[in-house]
Amino acid sequence: MSVSKQLAGKRIAITGATGFLGTALVERLMRSVPDCHLVLLIRPGKRTAPAERAKREIFRNDVFHRWISELGQGDRKAGGEPFWELVAERVTVIAGDVGTDGLGLSEGDAQILASCDVVIHSAATVSFDAPLDSAVEVNLLGATRILRTLQSLSVAPHFVGVSTCYVAGNRRGSAPEQLLSDSPFHIDVSWRDEVKAARRTRADFDSESRAVSRLEEFQSRARHELGAAGTPLLASKTEQLRQRWVSEQLVEAGRARAASLGWPDAYAYTKALGERALVESRGNVPVSIVRPSIIESAWAEPVPGWIKGFRMAEPILISYAQGLLKEFPGVPEGIVDVIPVDLVVAAIINVAARGPVDREAVDIVQVASGTRNPLRYRQLVNLVNGWFTENPLYDRKGQPIAVAKFSFPGRGAVERQLNRAQKNLDRADRALKRLPLRGKQAMINAQVEDQKDQVERAIGYVKIYGAYAECEALYGVDNLLALHEDLTRADQTQLGCDPAIVDWDRYVSEIHLPSVVYHARVKTTPTRTDPDERIRRMREKVLAPERQLAAFDLENTIIASNVVFSYAWLATRNMGPTDRLRFAAKTIGEAPGLLALDARDRTDFLRHFYRRYEGASVAEMERLGPELLADHILTKAFPAAIRRVREHRALGHRTVLITGALNIVVDPLRPLFDDVICTEMSVRDDRYTGELLCVPPTGEVRAAELREYADAHGIDLGQSVAYADSSSDLPLLDAVGYPVAVNPETRLASIATKRGWLIESWAKAKGGTDRMLPLGPMPAARKSRR
């Protein structure tokens, strides 16, 4: 009897349907078994209901394009109305989470699950570097949670669990289709004890992360990355680093525990213990286990090369093609056991159609290629090298990237090489962050950070995937081949699962690599990337008519000056040459301390520095305002900044200058903007006290002031723009939909680059001065002409 007839009228539940394998499985069942009904157990998203997730992540995927075309219904990308009617008729979505006890099912959804004839469990934390506790909750306990729901039924459905061949561990030689407990390499550990230990490990690392020394370390790292960004952002970053540290420790703990028991990583380790838990807990539920090796793009179904997301090999292939990976560990004569996704899908469907071999025993089918149709590592490397030599990727300058020849070194040698590069880049990063670089010079640091990220990714690939490249286990597929032989001739054509069908030379060169490159959206043509084109597109968005507000910082954004320069100009306006030299020498001597204070806290720095205005005459400062504008501000202004303010105003956007500078300095610029928010100083007896009337608008206060301003004027900050130069301005930049970094210092340059913000480099007009002190008293004649 055909597979289609065996499954006709059956209700088939699937977990993990939004994943790579699960989505392919849903498509194949709907296309090849037209009379079955699918029940998809999908975890609710933070803001997305399970039904909406199914629509977005499954049915809008291009895996359905072939079926929609065969149906002849509407646009194959969107699907016509009949397609969605078929989905509604043949698919039921229920909310559930295999990582939660009880699956989080409502009573009604539990009844729907109980009505199924087959349950295919493909949900998993498939990342090879998942934190130990999350891998345990999903991979180890997920199947047993489903079984508990099914065991109360008088006639339990057939449970088909998807595992992995790598439960066999880091062994060499034969790995047959048998229970792990039947293997001579079986290591007897209690899965229940491992669950308890993993949960305890999470609690232990969480507790350690809250120790004083750790918290101080996280705070220091946050400040190193963000500078004086304000308490809320620094606190948020510190907590983010704490949580990341806990996660990283759990990843290392999973890797170490797995290695101690002979598995390559936490994924294989938790899958192996999940099988043991499944066998022990199955009760009256008939169980089959399907173990694929490394699943990659489709050989033929639904179309050659179909893939969803990056799998195990894709990051390595693209990194190699881009010149990032010069070497990768592996045994040249070893076998890379990959299997196309459509063969795995076919095997799962065939097992579901066949039913359990013995309701009293667990049957196992391995879907692997190594013993039936081996792909040698050297063969794969030569194919990849040859393909990228003929079809190179291109760098931003339009030059082809030459790929390296692998020498097949050991994992340790590759890791040492990458670790040396990482240390050198760390030193360069620390040195650059100490330098007062701005604008294009500061972008050097952004480039160093990008290289650091690349090296860190390469180290991660070697750690995660190196063990798989060196694996020499041979996975038996006798049950798989028997399953294939039992199919009708028509089903062998449509749902065959014999790995011998794959021509590896054709698969790698004509199917897999073209698909990987296409989905990676990398540069495959020699056209030179025009960096100005991207900037032009971003400027168009910034200056779009629908923008509502443009907020500008002052120092190093509108003018190449700061509070020290402005004070110096005012303080020395009436000094003679000798006194000016003394003043300049004293200020230069104080510079390191002032810079350090500014780096720690911008608000504290301003309060400290503005004390110097104590006793200054209000009338005298007001008198000097026009001279300050003419002799200091205008000579240091960025013409491009002035033009940008005017462009926004011409478009009807509201403009606001928001700065920690004193109103004494800012007042001459008021006509340029709709509004000005600045720092003001208290006055007593017509003299400034050196004390501020309110907290200076810097850091988080600046963002709060902007929000209040927007609320008062009915402005949507999501449709607004902010211009600033420093990491201390991050709260302001984060508050708007369109942040722009202007002449950024090193930290902001790195952040803006990573986040894809517009970066502007504005210069002073030709003839603009860099001097801090005024030339001398303004002549009376000039004054009278004003």
Side-chain angles (χ1 to χ4, degrees):
M1 185 185 299
S2 70
V3 168
S4 180
K5 289 182 179 179
Q6 286 174 308
L7 291 176
K10 296 287 182 70
R11 292 174 65 83
I12 303 172
I14 302 174
T15 70
T18 58
F20 173 46
L21 177 61
T23 298
L25 182 59
V26 169
E27 188 275 340
R28 197 72 173 278
L29 282 168
M30 293 190 72
R31 179 163 54 88
S32 301
V33 188
D35 296 322
C36 71
H37 187 89
L38 304 183
V39 175
L40 309 183
L41 187 148
I42 296 178
R43 177 173 49 83
K46 290 182 178 179
R47 297 182 181 86
T48 312
E52 183 61 27
R53 281 195 67 198
K55 188 173 184 178
R56 291 181 184 178
E57 299 177 39
I58 302 173
F59 297 109
R60 289 196 184 279
N61 187 272
D62 60 359
V63 72
F64 286 94
H65 289 180
R66 171 181 170 180
W67 189 40
I68 292 170
S69 296
E70 290 175 355
L71 291 171
Q73 298 173 353
D75 179 0
R76 72 190 188 103
K77 290 187 177 181
E81 185 175 332
F83 169 73
W84 293 109
E85 289 175 354
L86 271 175
V87 170
E89 178 186 331
R90 295 188 54 195
V91 177
T92 299
V93 176
I94 61 176
D97 182 0
V98 299
T100 303
D101 288 339
L103 302 179
L105 292 172
S106 67
E107 185 176 345
D109 286 348
Q111 291 176 352
I112 293 173
L113 182 63
S115 70
C116 293
D117 304 287
V118 181
V119 175
I120 300 174
H121 174 49
S122 70
T125 297
V126 295
S127 172
F128 295 125
D129 61 343
L132 174 60
D133 60 327
S134 62
V136 163
E137 293 296 335
V138 176
N139 297 344
L140 199 163
L141 292 174
T144 62
R145 290 184 174 120
I146 297 173
L147 289 178
R148 290 194 198 104
T149 304
L150 304 178
Q151 284 168 349
S152 60
L153 304 175
S154 56
V155 180
H158 178 202
F159 181 91
V160 180
V162 180
S163 183
T164 173
C165 283
Y166 292 94
V167 297
N170 292 326
R171 72 170 73 172
R172 290 186 172 93
S174 176
E177 295 161 298
Q178 63 182 15
L179 292 174
L180 297 177
S181 57
D182 296 334
S183 168
F185 302 100
H186 170 65
I187 299 173
D188 189 16
V189 294
S190 166
W191 62 268
R192 291 182 176 85
D193 288 345
E194 295 298 304
V195 171
K196 293 176 185 176
R199 290 171 174 170
R200 190 167 57 247
T201 300
R202 154 70 73 171
D204 289 345
F205 281 129
D206 188 78
S207 177
E208 184 181 344
S209 74
R210 299 171 191 272
V212 172
S213 58
R214 288 287 179 200
L215 293 174
E216 289 175 346
E217 174 193 341
F218 302 142
Q219 284 179 302
S220 175
R221 287 170 55 190
R223 188 170 290 281
H224 175 76
E225 184 172 334
L226 300 182
T231 301
L233 275 182
L234 287 171
S236 176
K237 186 66 181 181
T238 299
E239 176 60 12
Q240 184 186 94
L241 291 170
R242 187 193 70 82
Q243 293 180 8
R244 186 188 302 167
W245 182 86
V246 173
S247 180
E248 289 170 351
Q249 302 314 301
L250 286 165
V251 169
E252 290 302 320
R255 191 176 289 145
R257 182 56 177 156
S260 73
L261 296 173
W263 282 290
D265 53 35
Y267 173 70
Y269 153 70
T270 52
K271 276 292 190 180
L273 294 182
E275 281 194 20
R276 295 182 190 179
L278 179 62
V279 171
E280 289 182 24
S281 309
R282 67 189 183 90
N284 65 328
V285 180
V287 171
S288 299
I289 295 174
V290 177
R291 293 176 181 161
S293 57
I294 299 168
I295 307 175
E296 288 295 344
S297 67
W299 165 249
E301 296 283 343
V303 291
W306 177 80
I307 196 168
K308 182 180 182 183
F310 264 21
R311 316 313 309 158
M312 172 180 158
E314 284 67 71
I316 300 172
L317 293 173
I318 294 301
S319 295
Y320 171 68
Q322 292 177 328
L324 171 61
L325 279 179
K326 306 292 185 184
E327 297 281 8
F328 200 79
V331 179
E333 64 271 30
I335 293 170
V336 182
D337 206 314
V338 297
I339 193 79
V341 64
D342 44 342
L343 271 68
V344 181
V345 166
I348 293 171
I349 293 174
N350 293 335
V351 168
R354 180 206 63 192
V357 174
D358 182 350
R359 295 188 70 89
E360 302 302 319
V362 175
D363 61 273
I364 296 173
V365 173
Q366 293 184 160
V367 192
S369 60
T371 54
R372 176 69 169 165
N373 181 18
L375 170 63
R376 302 287 175 182
Y377 189 44
R378 183 182 290 279
Q379 178 188 4
L380 174 63
V381 167
N382 288 342
L383 287 169
V384 172
N385 179 272
W387 195 86
F388 280 116
T389 298
E390 292 184 11
N391 306 276
L393 301 188
Y394 290 81
D395 61 23
R396 293 177 181 176
K397 296 180 180 179
Q399 297 301 309
I401 300 172
V403 289
K405 280 278 189 182
F406 276 14
S407 60
F408 303 100
R411 208 175 345 157
V414 177
E415 286 185 4
R416 286 192 294 273
Q417 175 190 352
L418 291 170
N419 286 333
R420 283 194 298 271
Q422 186 180 44
K423 288 179 180 177
N424 291 334
L425 288 168
D426 282 339
R427 292 191 193 99
D429 180 50
R430 287 194 296 271
L432 286 168
K433 278 193 167 64
R434 293 191 187 101
L435 298 175
L437 304 178
R438 282 196 172 275
K440 293 179 180 179
Q441 292 176 325
M443 296 305 295
I444 298 171
N445 185 248
Q447 293 168 6
V448 169
E449 290 212 351
D450 183 56
Q451 291 175 337
K452 278 178 59 180
D453 290 343
Q454 291 180 8
V455 170
E456 285 172 8
R457 285 202 305 274
I459 291 172
Y461 297 153
V462 172
K463 282 184 177 179
I464 297 166
Y465 304 130
Y468 289 88
E470 294 176 335
C471 180
E472 296 185 82
L474 300 172
Y475 305 111
V477 291
D478 293 343
N479 294 343
L480 176 72
L481 298 180
L483 187 69
H484 176 83
E485 288 300 319
D486 287 343
L487 299 173
T488 65
R489 286 195 174 274
D491 279 344
Q492 284 183 354
T493 301
Q494 297 298 320
L495 287 164
C497 52
D498 184 352
I501 193 174
V502 180
D503 176 341
W504 290 118
D505 286 2
R506 177 169 173 252
Y507 175 77
V508 173
S509 299
E510 299 179 26
I511 296 175
H512 187 62
L513 288 178
S515 176
V516 167
V517 168
Y518 172 78
H519 286 93
R521 297 181 180 181
V522 288
K523 190 171 176 56
T524 58
T525 57
T527 55
R528 182 184 177 93
T529 300
D530 182 4
D532 293 335
E533 177 60 30
R534 176 178 173 273
I535 293 173
R536 280 193 294 271
R537 289 197 304 269
M538 296 181 76
R539 281 182 188 145
E540 287 174 2
K541 292 180 180 179
V542 163
L543 291 168
E546 58 267 29
R547 300 297 160 258
Q548 299 178 20
L549 170 72
F552 290 83
D553 182 23
L554 176 63
E555 296 161 355
N556 295 305
T557 302
I558 300 292
I559 61 173
S561 183
N562 55 48
V563 297
V564 177
F565 277 30
S566 300
Y567 171 78
W569 190 96
L570 291 166
T572 62
R573 185 69 188 86
N574 297 314
M575 287 184 182
T578 303
D579 289 337
R580 285 183 187 176
L581 287 175
R582 290 197 190 98
F583 179 92
K586 180 182 177 184
T587 303
I588 291 169
E590 293 175 326
L594 293 174
L595 287 170
L597 180 58
D598 191 19
R600 284 196 300 273
D601 191 292
R602 180 69 174 171
T603 299
D604 288 348
F605 164 75
L606 291 178
R607 280 204 178 100
H608 169 79
F609 193 81
Y610 288 157
R611 296 284 190 267
R612 300 175 185 223
Y613 282 88
E614 183 179 0
S617 166
V618 174
E620 179 66 9
M621 293 296 104
E622 290 176 352
R623 185 187 69 78
L624 289 174
E627 296 181 29
L628 177 69
L629 175 66
D631 190 52
H632 179 71
I633 294 177
L634 293 182
T635 61
K636 293 180 178 293
F638 301 132
I642 306 300
R643 286 195 299 270
R644 184 63 57 86
V645 176
R646 289 173 174 164
E647 284 180 288
H648 280 292
R649 296 192 74 172
L651 288 164
H653 305 159
R654 199 167 189 91
T655 58
V656 58
L657 177 66
I658 183 165
T659 173
L662 286 170
N663 58 314
I664 304 166
V665 176
V666 171
D667 282 345
L669 290 172
R670 287 184 184 275
L672 186 61
F673 299 91
D674 290 303
D675 290 292
V676 172
I677 301 171
C678 62
T679 303
E680 295 189 15
M681 194 177 295
S682 63
V683 176
R684 186 183 304 118
D685 299 329
D686 295 324
R687 292 189 176 275
Y688 289 109
T689 65
E691 297 177 1
L692 306 183
L693 289 174
C694 58
V695 179
T698 62
E700 66 271 25
V701 177
R702 182 174 295 186
E705 292 272 9
L706 184 67
R707 291 190 185 95
E708 290 179 13
Y709 182 88
D711 290 343
H713 292 84
I715 290 170
D716 178 6
L717 286 181
Q719 289 294 330
S720 299
V721 188
Y723 297 82
D725 71 294
S726 170
S727 62
S728 65
D729 301 312
L730 275 174
L732 174 73
L733 295 168
D734 282 339
V736 300
Y738 297 87
V740 181
V742 179
N743 301 331
E745 43 78 48
T746 52
R747 287 189 178 89
L748 184 60
S750 298
I751 294 167
T753 301
K754 288 177 181 177
R755 298 187 185 182
W757 293 350
L758 174 61
I759 299 175
E760 297 281 19
S761 296
W762 291 341
K764 297 192 299 294
K766 291 181 179 179
T769 179
D770 290 320
R771 57 186 167 76
M772 179 172 67
L773 306 181
L775 291 172
M778 185 174 287
R782 280 183 61 190
K783 185 174 181 180
S784 64
R785 283 200 299 269
R786 241 190 21 257

